[in-house]
Amino acid sequence: MIERIKQWLNHSPAEDPVAMQEEVAIAALLSEVMLADGVATGDEQGCLESLLCRISGRPPDEVHQWLQQGRAYQDEAISLYEFTRHLKALPIVRRESILQALWQMALADGELDPQEEGIIRQVAELLYIPHNRFIQLKLAVENPSG
């Protein structure tokens, strides 16, 4: 906790804390899905970083930093709400792109674990994404060609 206070006090004004919270929250959610089945392969790690680069439009070195922060928060988090509260005010298109990335993360290893789907379902509810869109996004990721 003392380290977090030091980091907060040393916060650079050039950084946008709202954007950082958003990206760190997304990184934590993606990590949560990746680790839900108890196995994190190298392919899944690469997929996670690639998804974060694509969603944020930022270079891999920034994404790597967000992943580290996201994992630190993930270790201390009690619920998914701690991450989604930063994201639920985003436009619906942005929230749906996050959910789609979570589906891509879940399917990165070629299998959908029930734990992964459960996390994504909770996130969809917390982000106010209707169930029919939840299913449509899942199907779009499962069957990208049609």
Side-chain angles (χ1 to χ4, degrees):
M1 182 162 163
I2 293 173
E3 283 303 312
R4 272 215 223 150
I5 293 170
K6 286 180 185 176
Q7 288 174 350
W8 182 76
L9 290 173
N10 292 328
H11 176 71
S12 167
E15 292 180 29
D16 181 358
V18 174
M20 183 61 84
Q21 286 180 346
E22 177 182 322
E23 303 304 340
V24 170
I26 294 168
L29 290 172
L30 286 167
S31 294
E32 192 74 29
V33 170
M34 180 181 72
L35 298 171
D37 62 2
V39 179
T41 66
D43 288 344
E44 288 176 313
Q45 181 66 35
C47 179
L48 179 105
E49 292 179 15
S50 173
L51 286 169
L52 260 179
C53 287
R54 188 192 58 163
I55 288 172
S56 67
R58 302 293 179 127
D61 59 328
E62 283 184 49
V63 165
H64 186 70
Q65 182 180 11
W66 293 331
L67 281 171
Q68 289 177 329
Q69 291 174 355
R71 286 189 186 121
Y73 287 124
Q74 181 186 14
D75 289 342
E76 297 175 12
I78 296 170
S79 73
L80 296 172
Y81 175 77
E82 294 179 49
F83 306 117
T84 58
R85 69 186 172 114
H86 298 290
L87 306 173
K88 66 183 178 183
L90 295 172
I92 187 69
V93 173
R94 182 90 167 113
R95 289 180 279 144
E96 287 180 354
S97 72
I98 293 167
L99 197 70
Q100 186 170 15
L102 294 175
W103 281 121
Q104 290 169 324
M105 186 73 253
L107 293 166
D109 61 0
E111 297 178 26
L112 179 60
D113 185 271
Q115 295 283 18
E116 293 168 333
E117 185 167 0
I119 289 170
I120 298 170
R121 183 178 305 274
Q122 288 177 7
V123 170
E125 290 172 3
L126 290 167
L127 293 181
Y128 306 120
I129 296 174
H131 186 70
N132 66 332
R133 282 301 289 155
F134 166 83
I135 297 297
Q136 289 170 350
L137 292 167
K138 176 185 178 183
L139 293 174
V141 172
E142 287 179 328
N143 306 307
S145 60

